[in-house]
Amino acid sequence: VSCLHSVSSVMGLPAWVWDPYIIINLLVCLSYLYVRFHFDEDSMLFKNDMMGFTKEMQVGGSCLVALYVKYWKSNSLAEFFPTFFMYSKVAILICTAVQSKTICAWYAVTFLVLFFVLHQGEDKTPNKVVHLNTGNFGSVEDDRESTWLVQFYTTWANAAGFSSTFNALSNKYGSKRLKFGKVDIGRFRTLAKKFNISLSAVMNNELPTLILFEKGNEVKNQRLPVKGKDGKLKENYVILTKENLIKYFKLEERAKQAAAQEAKKNK
């Protein structure tokens, strides 16, 4: 793997391209292209079903439309790939179920094993992000001097893809009075319940969730994705890009305020 990283740097490719998570999932998904050529040509999968389209074309077309929307909501390809794999796997299961229950079962088992065993590698660049858990989350809630921006994530919901964005923000704006933290609520589920964050692994648009804390309390209207009083996500979805996060959480202004407060304290 280290050799591949060296080759990628020479070729100008990002290191995440050689992440085993990316390579193995991509090969498994591409295996369908080989498997389908061994299906019976008279299969229901290849017969015209609706408006002249086969079932395979209907499933594939729906998948491509959904992926197109998700692509424009992603910060990078590294963040988009987990979504790509999830939709591709669902499409494969639907198509193989039409053709062969046995093949569908084998794919289902394979996908399940990959889900539990293989996770996307995190961004390893130096950063100022504090790793939180149920034991030390009190450092956020008891902090009366600092502002905290906390990322609530799970390993199965694109955490690694977003980590590079969050790490970069921490490096640019992080200080003694403006801190960045992250907590895996897949492991520490009591925090997910406390802050009303869904842990559903299917079609979950709440992960990652970003919440701003000041003097230990959640700041009103400083949470993404935005939730209404009824607990449902609002339709005005904010794409989690660096620019949008800087603007939404007013990081430029908060960083200046934090620097001024620290300078005043040190006088």
Side-chain angles (χ1 to χ4, degrees):
V1 175
S2 59
C3 180
L4 291 174
H5 285 172
S6 300
V7 173
S8 67
S9 62
V10 172
M11 296 175 62
L13 297 174
W16 60 262
V17 170
W18 306 111
D19 185 346
Y21 169 87
I22 298 292
I23 295 174
I24 294 174
N25 273 290
L26 187 60
L27 290 175
V28 170
C29 290
L30 289 176
S31 70
Y32 173 75
L33 298 178
Y34 172 79
V35 172
R36 74 180 295 279
F37 284 114
H38 293 76
F39 289 166
D40 187 346
E41 292 184 0
D42 294 328
S43 166
M44 290 294 294
L45 187 63
F46 303 128
K47 287 185 178 181
N48 292 344
D49 182 40
M50 183 178 67
M51 298 178 64
F53 295 107
T54 65
K55 287 186 180 295
E56 186 182 48
M57 292 170 65
Q58 293 172 39
V59 174
S62 300
C63 181
L64 287 174
V65 170
L67 285 173
Y68 178 80
V69 174
K70 292 291 184 180
Y71 175 78
W72 289 109
K73 289 185 177 182
S74 301
N75 289 308
S76 63
L77 281 175
E79 186 176 330
F80 171 70
F81 262 106
T83 303
F84 170 79
F85 292 140
M86 181 184 70
Y87 279 86
S88 297
K89 290 171 183 176
V90 171
I92 289 172
L93 289 176
I94 294 174
C95 289
T96 53
V98 173
Q99 173 63 29
S100 168
K101 297 295 189 294
T102 302
I103 294 176
C104 179
W106 275 110
Y107 267 118
V109 171
T110 301
F111 294 159
L112 195 62
V113 171
L114 290 178
F115 177 79
F116 286 108
V117 173
L118 205 59
H119 301 296
Q120 190 175 14
E122 285 200 30
D123 180 16
K124 299 298 183 181
T125 56
N127 58 77
K128 298 178 182 178
V129 178
V130 179
H131 287 263
L132 302 167
N133 53 54
T134 50
N136 67 1
F137 200 84
S139 61
V140 176
E141 298 177 309
D142 297 335
D143 194 337
R144 295 295 180 264
E145 294 187 348
S146 304
T147 296
W148 283 80
L149 181 59
V150 179
Q151 173 195 357
F152 297 81
Y153 72 97
T154 65
T155 55
W156 65 77
N158 208 9
F162 179 71
S163 66
S164 58
T165 299
F166 198 68
N167 290 349
L169 291 175
S170 75
N171 287 334
K172 184 174 182 179
Y173 298 106
S175 66
K176 289 183 178 179
R177 291 180 177 268
L178 181 54
K179 300 178 182 180
F180 291 75
K182 63 189 300 183
V183 55
D184 182 355
I185 52 176
R187 293 177 60 196
F188 307 107
R189 292 172 174 256
T190 54
L191 291 174
K193 184 176 181 180
K194 181 175 183 177
F195 294 102
N196 191 25
I197 303 172
S198 171
L199 285 175
S200 171
V202 181
M203 301 297 288
N204 190 339
N205 292 319
E206 290 190 43
L207 297 170
T209 286
L210 300 176
I211 299 178
L212 193 76
F213 295 84
E214 281 186 345
K215 296 182 178 180
N217 298 310
E218 179 179 343
V219 180
K220 186 178 180 180
N221 299 325
Q222 289 288 272
R223 172 182 178 138
L224 288 176
V226 180
K227 272 191 170 184
K229 293 182 178 179
D230 57 359
K232 295 182 180 179
L233 295 182
K234 291 189 176 180
E235 294 183 0
N236 54 333
Y237 186 83
V238 178
I239 300 175
L240 302 182
T241 62
K242 289 181 185 177
E243 295 74 17
N244 287 346
L245 294 176
I246 291 170
K247 182 179 179 180
Y248 185 85
F249 292 109
K250 301 176 182 177
L251 293 180
E252 291 282 0
E253 295 89 332
R254 294 183 188 282
K256 291 178 181 178
Q257 291 174 3
Q261 290 171 353
E262 190 62 22
K264 184 178 180 181
K265 180 182 178 181
N266 293 331
K267 279 185 177 180

